[in-house]
Amino acid sequence: MAIKQTRRDFLKLAGSAGIVFSTGLYRSSDVFAGNPADEFYFVQFTDTHYGFDKAKINPDPVGGLNRAIDKVNQLKHKPDFVIFTGDLTHTTDNEDERRKRMREFSKIVSRLEVNTIRYIPGEHDAALDFGEAYSEIFGETYYTFKHKGIQFIAIDNVSDPRGSVGSRQLAWLDKTLADIKKDQPIVIFAHRPLFALYPQWDWTTADGEQVLSRFADYQHVTVFYGHIHQEHHHKTGHIVHHSSKSLIFPLPAPGSAPKRKPLAWDSRHPYRGLGIRDVEAYGAKLELDELEIG
Amino acid sequence: MYTKRMMLVIVACSLIAVSGLIAETGNREVATFSIQAERYRFVPEVLKLPANTPVQIQLKSRDALHGFNIPSLGIRHDLFPGQSVIVSLPALKPGRYPFLCDIFCGSGHSSMQAEILVQ
């Protein structure tokens, strides 16, 4: 199977340049076997912060993204799609510069040799203008699509600078879920954690509980998110949440430091703590590989 | 009779005076402190407060819309520029009470973290 080969490809890439973390313990479910023909995988990129310019924190701010693109392009069997879970660009007050960064970012990621690239916004992309520039360049900030037996739902919890989803999107979610069966495998993409991971650092979504409560009766729900610049795994009830490493700088573990300051760049180990994730889907059973790009 | 009426007036006046004194004393006991928010910091970064004493904090933003959130106390407010918000804090035990801006305000937003130090 191509998908088995994919894992070997990832391991090989990691063996040459990084570390793979198996997160099999965090599989969403083993219940739904699915159709073998529907097996596929996708890759999560997050928090690229294109436009970031603090050399002490990262002297090669586009290097992580370029290396990640190269890794994916080296894969013999390409992912069905790549998802960017927000903070594609680093924020700026200048509206023209904001759009310029987004266009330049699009040009860079067009190097990815995959058929489909999907995006959701982070607060750096969308919070200062309520998603206006982002929508012009990348399209809708929240949406749904079905791919090989999995219903994907992209949630926007950043266009409101208060970090909430809001009543309008919740109404859209109600309408979307009305047509989805309770045993349907669901994957949610969001930028911020939908649960209260660490509110002291604003690592939460103001109305996240209202989002998650809507999935309470769905049996197979997995959330992939970014924002916190590190790998993290958590369960709320039966819903599993996975954050991925960023491609710009790592942040400390929740509450492990007085402030959420970026971890220092280590010139002996450049790009350490940066990475991407591959997610292999076998029906509702998901398997994750974490690939460092250092 | 006259003496008795006089006594009642004196007692009444005394009660009013005493109650006024208590109220005045109560007001004096609630000290007011100040926190100002600006891109991208709170001033002061550490607000020292006395332990086991109710206080008030006057909150102001100097520039943009910011949030003021003390998660451990369940207290949050929007801070609009030009407006002042008064927050009453109950008597707190000694300790650190971090607060943050929870409304994305720009590139340095994540550094808008500070704390109340009760001692």
CSV table of all heavy atoms in Angstrom, one decimal, chain B residues 39-83:
chain,number,residue,atom,x,y,z
B,39,ARG,N,0.2,49.2,23.7
B,39,ARG,CA,1.0,48.2,22.9
B,39,ARG,C,2.4,48.2,23.3
B,39,ARG,O,3.1,49.3,23.1
B,39,ARG,CB,0.8,48.6,21.4
B,39,ARG,CG,-0.6,48.3,20.9
B,39,ARG,CD,-0.7,48.9,19.5
B,39,ARG,NE,-1.2,47.9,18.6
B,39,ARG,CZ,-1.2,48.0,17.3
B,39,ARG,NH1,-0.6,49.1,16.7
B,39,ARG,NH2,-1.6,47.1,16.5
B,40,TYR,N,3.1,47.2,23.8
B,40,TYR,CA,2.6,45.9,24.1
B,40,TYR,C,3.0,45.6,25.5
B,40,TYR,O,3.8,44.7,25.7
B,40,TYR,CB,3.2,44.9,23.1
B,40,TYR,CG,2.7,45.2,21.7
B,40,TYR,CD1,3.6,45.8,20.8
B,40,TYR,CD2,1.4,44.8,21.3
B,40,TYR,CE1,3.2,46.0,19.5
B,40,TYR,CE2,1.0,45.1,20.0
B,40,TYR,CZ,1.9,45.7,19.1
B,40,TYR,OH,1.5,45.9,17.8
B,41,ARG,N,2.4,46.3,26.4
B,41,ARG,CA,2.7,46.0,27.9
B,41,ARG,C,1.7,46.6,28.8
B,41,ARG,O,0.8,47.4,28.3
B,41,ARG,CB,4.1,46.7,28.2
B,41,ARG,CG,4.1,48.2,28.1
B,41,ARG,CD,5.4,48.8,28.5
B,41,ARG,NE,5.3,50.3,28.5
B,41,ARG,CZ,6.1,51.1,29.1
B,41,ARG,NH1,7.1,50.5,29.9
B,41,ARG,NH2,6.0,52.4,29.1
B,42,PHE,N,1.7,46.1,30.0
B,42,PHE,CA,0.9,46.7,31.0
B,42,PHE,C,1.9,47.5,32.0
B,42,PHE,O,3.0,47.1,32.2
B,42,PHE,CB,0.2,45.7,31.9
B,42,PHE,CG,-0.9,45.0,31.2
B,42,PHE,CD1,-0.8,43.7,30.6
B,42,PHE,CD2,-2.2,45.6,31.1
B,42,PHE,CE1,-1.8,43.1,30.0
B,42,PHE,CE2,-3.2,45.0,30.5
B,42,PHE,CZ,-3.1,43.7,29.9
B,43,VAL,N,1.4,48.6,32.4
B,43,VAL,CA,2.1,49.5,33.4
B,43,VAL,C,1.3,49.6,34.7
B,43,VAL,O,0.2,50.1,34.6
B,43,VAL,CB,2.5,50.9,32.8
B,43,VAL,CG1,3.3,51.7,33.8
B,43,VAL,CG2,3.2,50.7,31.5
B,44,PRO,N,1.8,49.2,35.8
B,44,PRO,CA,3.1,48.5,36.0
B,44,PRO,C,3.0,47.0,35.5
B,44,PRO,O,2.0,46.5,35.4
B,44,PRO,CB,3.3,48.6,37.5
B,44,PRO,CG,1.9,48.5,38.1
B,44,PRO,CD,1.1,49.3,37.1
B,45,GLU,N,4.2,46.4,35.4
B,45,GLU,CA,4.3,45.0,35.0
B,45,GLU,C,4.0,44.1,36.2
B,45,GLU,O,3.5,43.0,36.0
B,45,GLU,CB,5.6,44.7,34.4
B,45,GLU,CG,5.6,43.5,33.5
B,45,GLU,CD,6.9,43.3,32.8
B,45,GLU,OE1,7.8,44.2,32.8
B,45,GLU,OE2,7.1,42.2,32.2
B,46,VAL,N,4.3,44.6,37.4
B,46,VAL,CA,4.0,43.9,38.6
B,46,VAL,C,3.3,44.9,39.5
B,46,VAL,O,3.9,45.9,39.9
B,46,VAL,CB,5.2,43.3,39.3
B,46,VAL,CG1,4.8,42.6,40.6
B,46,VAL,CG2,6.0,42.4,38.4
B,47,LEU,N,2.0,44.6,39.8
B,47,LEU,CA,1.3,45.5,40.7
B,47,LEU,C,1.2,44.8,42.1
B,47,LEU,O,0.7,43.7,42.2
B,47,LEU,CB,-0.2,45.7,40.2
B,47,LEU,CG,-1.1,46.5,41.2
B,47,LEU,CD1,-0.6,48.0,41.3
B,47,LEU,CD2,-2.5,46.5,40.7
B,48,LYS,N,1.8,45.5,43.1
B,48,LYS,CA,1.9,44.9,44.4
B,48,LYS,C,0.7,45.4,45.2
B,48,LYS,O,0.4,46.6,45.3
B,48,LYS,CB,3.2,45.3,45.1
B,48,LYS,CG,4.4,44.7,44.5
B,48,LYS,CD,5.7,45.2,45.2
B,48,LYS,CE,6.9,44.5,44.5
B,48,LYS,NZ,8.2,45.0,45.1
B,49,LEU,N,0.0,44.4,45.8
B,49,LEU,CA,-1.2,44.7,46.6
B,49,LEU,C,-1.1,44.1,48.0
B,49,LEU,O,-0.5,43.1,48.1
B,49,LEU,CB,-2.5,44.2,45.9
B,49,LEU,CG,-2.9,44.7,44.5
B,49,LEU,CD1,-4.1,44.1,44.0
B,49,LEU,CD2,-3.1,46.2,44.6
B,50,PRO,N,-1.8,44.7,49.0
B,50,PRO,CA,-1.7,44.1,50.3
B,50,PRO,C,-2.6,42.9,50.4
B,50,PRO,O,-3.6,42.8,49.7
B,50,PRO,CB,-2.3,45.3,51.2
B,50,PRO,CG,-3.1,46.1,50.2
B,50,PRO,CD,-2.5,46.0,48.9
B,51,ALA,N,-2.1,42.0,51.2
B,51,ALA,CA,-2.9,40.7,51.3
B,51,ALA,C,-4.2,41.0,52.2
B,51,ALA,O,-4.2,41.9,53.1
B,51,ALA,CB,-2.0,39.7,52.0
B,52,ASN,N,-5.2,40.2,51.9
B,52,ASN,CA,-6.4,40.1,52.8
B,52,ASN,C,-7.1,41.5,52.9
B,52,ASN,O,-7.7,41.8,53.9
B,52,ASN,CB,-6.1,39.6,54.2
B,52,ASN,CG,-5.4,38.2,54.1
B,52,ASN,OD1,-5.8,37.3,53.4
B,52,ASN,ND2,-4.3,38.1,54.8
B,53,THR,N,-7.0,42.3,51.8
B,53,THR,CA,-7.5,43.6,51.8
B,53,THR,C,-8.3,43.9,50.5
B,53,THR,O,-7.6,43.8,49.4
B,53,THR,CB,-6.4,44.7,52.0
B,53,THR,OG1,-5.6,44.3,53.1
B,53,THR,CG2,-7.0,46.1,52.2
B,54,PRO,N,-9.5,44.2,50.5
B,54,PRO,CA,-10.2,44.5,49.3
B,54,PRO,C,-9.7,45.8,48.7
B,54,PRO,O,-9.3,46.8,49.5
B,54,PRO,CB,-11.7,44.7,49.7
B,54,PRO,CG,-11.8,44.1,51.1
B,54,PRO,CD,-10.5,44.2,51.7
B,55,VAL,N,-9.5,45.9,47.4
B,55,VAL,CA,-9.0,47.1,46.8
B,55,VAL,C,-9.8,47.3,45.5
B,55,VAL,O,-10.5,46.5,45.0
B,55,VAL,CB,-7.5,47.0,46.4
B,55,VAL,CG1,-6.6,46.8,47.6
B,55,VAL,CG2,-7.2,45.9,45.4
B,56,GLN,N,-9.5,48.5,44.9
B,56,GLN,CA,-10.1,48.8,43.6
B,56,GLN,C,-8.9,49.0,42.6
B,56,GLN,O,-7.8,49.5,43.0
B,56,GLN,CB,-11.0,50.0,43.6
B,56,GLN,CG,-12.3,49.8,44.3
B,56,GLN,CD,-13.2,51.0,44.2
B,56,GLN,OE1,-12.7,52.2,44.1
B,56,GLN,NE2,-14.5,50.8,44.2
B,57,ILE,N,-9.1,48.7,41.3
B,57,ILE,CA,-8.1,49.0,40.3
B,57,ILE,C,-8.8,49.8,39.2
B,57,ILE,O,-9.8,49.4,38.7
B,57,ILE,CB,-7.5,47.7,39.7
B,57,ILE,CG1,-6.8,46.8,40.8
B,57,ILE,CG2,-6.4,48.0,38.7
B,57,ILE,CD1,-6.3,45.5,40.3
B,58,GLN,N,-8.1,50.9,38.9
B,58,GLN,CA,-8.6,51.7,37.7
B,58,GLN,C,-7.8,51.2,36.5
B,58,GLN,O,-6.6,51.3,36.5
B,58,GLN,CB,-8.4,53.1,38.0
B,58,GLN,CG,-8.9,54.0,36.9
B,58,GLN,CD,-8.7,55.5,37.1
B,58,GLN,OE1,-7.6,55.9,37.5
B,58,GLN,NE2,-9.7,56.3,37.0
B,59,LEU,N,-8.5,50.8,35.5
B,59,LEU,CA,-7.9,50.3,34.3
B,59,LEU,C,-8.1,51.3,33.1
B,59,LEU,O,-9.2,51.8,33.0
B,59,LEU,CB,-8.5,48.9,33.9
B,59,LEU,CG,-8.5,47.8,34.9
B,59,LEU,CD1,-9.4,46.7,34.5
B,59,LEU,CD2,-7.1,47.3,35.1
B,60,LYS,N,-7.1,51.5,32.4
B,60,LYS,CA,-7.2,52.4,31.2
B,60,LYS,C,-6.3,51.8,30.1
B,60,LYS,O,-5.3,51.2,30.3
B,60,LYS,CB,-6.7,53.8,31.5
B,60,LYS,CG,-7.6,54.7,32.3
B,60,LYS,CD,-7.1,56.1,32.5
B,60,LYS,CE,-8.0,57.0,33.2
B,60,LYS,NZ,-7.5,58.3,33.5
B,61,SER,N,-6.7,52.1,28.8
B,61,SER,CA,-5.9,51.8,27.7
B,61,SER,C,-5.4,53.1,27.1
B,61,SER,O,-6.1,54.1,27.0
B,61,SER,CB,-6.7,51.1,26.6
B,61,SER,OG,-6.0,51.2,25.4
B,62,ARG,N,-4.1,53.2,26.8
B,62,ARG,CA,-3.5,54.4,26.3
B,62,ARG,C,-3.6,54.5,24.8
B,62,ARG,O,-3.3,55.6,24.2
B,62,ARG,CB,-2.0,54.5,26.7
B,62,ARG,CG,-1.8,54.7,28.2
B,62,ARG,CD,-0.3,54.6,28.5
B,62,ARG,NE,0.0,55.0,29.8
B,62,ARG,CZ,1.2,54.8,30.4
B,62,ARG,NH1,2.2,54.2,29.7
B,62,ARG,NH2,1.4,55.1,31.6
B,63,ASP,N,-3.9,53.4,24.1
B,63,ASP,CA,-3.8,53.5,22.6
B,63,ASP,C,-5.0,52.7,22.0
B,63,ASP,O,-5.9,53.3,21.5
B,63,ASP,CB,-2.5,53.0,22.1
B,63,ASP,CG,-2.0,51.7,22.8
B,63,ASP,OD1,-2.8,50.9,23.2
B,63,ASP,OD2,-0.7,51.5,22.8
B,64,ALA,N,-4.9,51.4,22.0
B,64,ALA,CA,-5.9,50.6,21.2
B,64,ALA,C,-6.8,49.8,22.1
B,64,ALA,O,-6.7,49.9,23.3
B,64,ALA,CB,-5.1,49.6,20.3
B,65,LEU,N,-7.7,49.0,21.5
B,65,LEU,CA,-8.5,48.1,22.3
B,65,LEU,C,-7.7,47.0,22.9
B,65,LEU,O,-7.0,46.3,22.1
B,65,LEU,CB,-9.7,47.6,21.4
B,65,LEU,CG,-10.5,46.5,22.1
B,65,LEU,CD1,-11.3,47.0,23.3
B,65,LEU,CD2,-11.5,46.0,21.0
B,66,HIS,N,-7.7,46.8,24.2
B,66,HIS,CA,-7.0,45.7,24.8
B,66,HIS,C,-8.0,45.0,25.7
B,66,HIS,O,-9.1,45.5,26.0
B,66,HIS,CB,-5.9,46.2,25.7
B,66,HIS,CG,-4.8,46.9,24.9
B,66,HIS,ND1,-3.9,46.2,24.2
B,66,HIS,CD2,-4.4,48.2,24.8
B,66,HIS,CE1,-3.0,47.0,23.6
B,66,HIS,NE2,-3.3,48.2,24.0
B,67,GLY,N,-7.6,43.8,26.1
B,67,GLY,CA,-8.4,43.0,27.0
B,67,GLY,C,-7.6,43.0,28.4
B,67,GLY,O,-6.4,43.1,28.4
B,68,PHE,N,-8.4,42.9,29.4
B,68,PHE,CA,-7.7,42.7,30.8
B,68,PHE,C,-8.4,41.4,31.3
B,68,PHE,O,-9.6,41.4,31.6
B,68,PHE,CB,-8.0,43.9,31.7
B,68,PHE,CG,-7.5,43.7,33.1
B,68,PHE,CD1,-6.1,43.9,33.4
B,68,PHE,CD2,-8.3,43.3,34.1
B,68,PHE,CE1,-5.7,43.8,34.7
B,68,PHE,CE2,-7.9,43.2,35.4
B,68,PHE,CZ,-6.5,43.4,35.7
B,69,ASN,N,-7.6,40.4,31.5
B,69,ASN,CA,-8.1,39.1,32.0
B,69,ASN,C,-7.2,38.6,33.1
B,69,ASN,O,-6.0,38.4,32.9
B,69,ASN,CB,-8.1,38.2,30.8
B,69,ASN,CG,-8.9,36.9,31.1
B,69,ASN,OD1,-9.1,36.5,32.2
B,69,ASN,ND2,-9.3,36.2,30.0
B,70,ILE,N,-7.8,38.3,34.2
B,70,ILE,CA,-7.2,37.6,35.3
B,70,ILE,C,-7.8,36.2,35.4
B,70,ILE,O,-8.8,36.0,36.1
B,70,ILE,CB,-7.3,38.3,36.7
B,70,ILE,CG1,-7.0,39.8,36.6
B,70,ILE,CG2,-6.3,37.7,37.7
B,70,ILE,CD1,-7.2,40.5,37.9
B,71,PRO,N,-7.3,35.2,34.7
B,71,PRO,CA,-8.0,33.9,34.6
B,71,PRO,C,-8.3,33.3,35.9
B,71,PRO,O,-9.3,32.7,36.2
B,71,PRO,CB,-7.1,33.1,33.7
B,71,PRO,CG,-6.3,34.0,32.9
B,71,PRO,CD,-6.1,35.2,33.8
B,72,SER,N,-7.3,33.4,36.8
B,72,SER,CA,-7.5,32.7,38.1
B,72,SER,C,-8.6,33.3,39.0
B,72,SER,O,-9.1,32.7,39.9
B,72,SER,CB,-6.1,32.7,38.9
B,72,SER,OG,-5.7,34.1,39.1
B,73,LEU,N,-9.0,34.5,38.7
B,73,LEU,CA,-10.0,35.2,39.5
B,73,LEU,C,-11.3,35.3,38.7
B,73,LEU,O,-12.3,35.8,39.2
B,73,LEU,CB,-9.6,36.6,39.9
B,73,LEU,CG,-8.3,36.7,40.8
B,73,LEU,CD1,-8.0,38.1,41.2
B,73,LEU,CD2,-8.6,35.9,42.1
B,74,GLY,N,-11.3,34.9,37.4
B,74,GLY,CA,-12.5,35.0,36.6
B,74,GLY,C,-12.9,36.4,36.3
B,74,GLY,O,-14.1,36.7,36.2
B,75,ILE,N,-11.9,37.3,36.3
B,75,ILE,CA,-12.2,38.7,36.0
B,75,ILE,C,-11.7,39.1,34.6
B,75,ILE,O,-10.5,38.8,34.3
B,75,ILE,CB,-11.5,39.6,37.1
B,75,ILE,CG1,-12.2,39.4,38.4
B,75,ILE,CG2,-11.6,41.1,36.7
B,75,ILE,CD1,-11.5,40.0,39.6
B,76,ARG,N,-12.5,39.7,33.8
B,76,ARG,CA,-12.1,40.2,32.5
B,76,ARG,C,-12.9,41.4,32.1
B,76,ARG,O,-14.1,41.5,32.4
B,76,ARG,CB,-12.0,39.1,31.4
B,76,ARG,CG,-13.3,38.9,30.6
B,76,ARG,CD,-13.0,38.3,29.3
B,76,ARG,NE,-12.2,39.1,28.4
B,76,ARG,CZ,-12.5,40.2,27.8
B,76,ARG,NH1,-13.7,40.7,27.9
B,76,ARG,NH2,-11.6,40.9,27.0
B,77,HIS,N,-12.2,42.3,31.4
B,77,HIS,CA,-12.9,43.5,30.9
B,77,HIS,C,-12.2,43.9,29.6
B,77,HIS,O,-11.1,43.7,29.3
B,77,HIS,CB,-12.7,44.7,31.9
B,77,HIS,CG,-13.5,44.5,33.1
B,77,HIS,ND1,-14.8,44.8,33.2
B,77,HIS,CD2,-13.1,44.0,34.3
B,77,HIS,CE1,-15.3,44.5,34.4
B,77,HIS,NE2,-14.3,44.0,35.1
B,78,ASP,N,-13.1,44.6,28.7
B,78,ASP,CA,-12.5,45.3,27.5
B,78,ASP,C,-12.0,46.6,28.0
B,78,ASP,O,-12.7,47.3,28.8
B,78,ASP,CB,-13.6,45.4,26.5
B,78,ASP,CG,-14.0,44.1,25.8
B,78,ASP,OD1,-13.3,43.1,26.0
B,78,ASP,OD2,-15.1,44.1,25.2
B,79,LEU,N,-10.9,47.0,27.4
B,79,LEU,CA,-10.4,48.4,27.7
B,79,LEU,C,-10.4,49.2,26.5
B,79,LEU,O,-9.5,49.0,25.6
B,79,LEU,CB,-8.9,48.2,28.3
B,79,LEU,CG,-8.7,47.3,29.5
B,79,LEU,CD1,-7.3,47.4,30.0
B,79,LEU,CD2,-9.7,47.7,30.6
B,80,PHE,N,-11.3,50.0,26.3
B,80,PHE,CA,-11.4,50.9,25.2
B,80,PHE,C,-10.6,52.2,25.4
B,80,PHE,O,-10.6,52.7,26.5
B,80,PHE,CB,-12.8,51.3,24.9
B,80,PHE,CG,-13.7,50.2,24.4
B,80,PHE,CD1,-14.4,49.4,25.3
B,80,PHE,CD2,-13.8,49.8,23.1
B,80,PHE,CE1,-15.2,48.4,24.9
B,80,PHE,CE2,-14.5,48.7,22.7
B,80,PHE,CZ,-15.3,48.0,23.6
B,81,PRO,N,-9.8,52.6,24.4
B,81,PRO,CA,-9.0,53.8,24.6
B,81,PRO,C,-9.9,55.0,25.1
B,81,PRO,O,-11.0,55.2,24.5
B,81,PRO,CB,-8.3,54.1,23.3
B,81,PRO,CG,-8.8,53.1,22.4
B,81,PRO,CD,-9.7,52.1,23.1
B,82,GLY,N,-9.4,55.7,26.0
B,82,GLY,CA,-10.1,56.9,26.5
B,82,GLY,C,-11.2,56.6,27.5
B,82,GLY,O,-11.8,57.5,28.1
B,83,GLN,N,-11.4,55.4,27.8
B,83,GLN,CA,-12.4,55.0,28.9
B,83,GLN,C,-11.7,54.4,30.1
B,83,GLN,O,-10.6,53.8,29.9
B,83,GLN,CB,-13.4,54.0,28.3
B,83,GLN,CG,-14.3,54.6,27.3
B,83,GLN,CD,-15.4,53.6,26.8
B,83,GLN,OE1,-15.6,52.6,27.4
B,83,GLN,NE2,-16.1,54.0,25.8
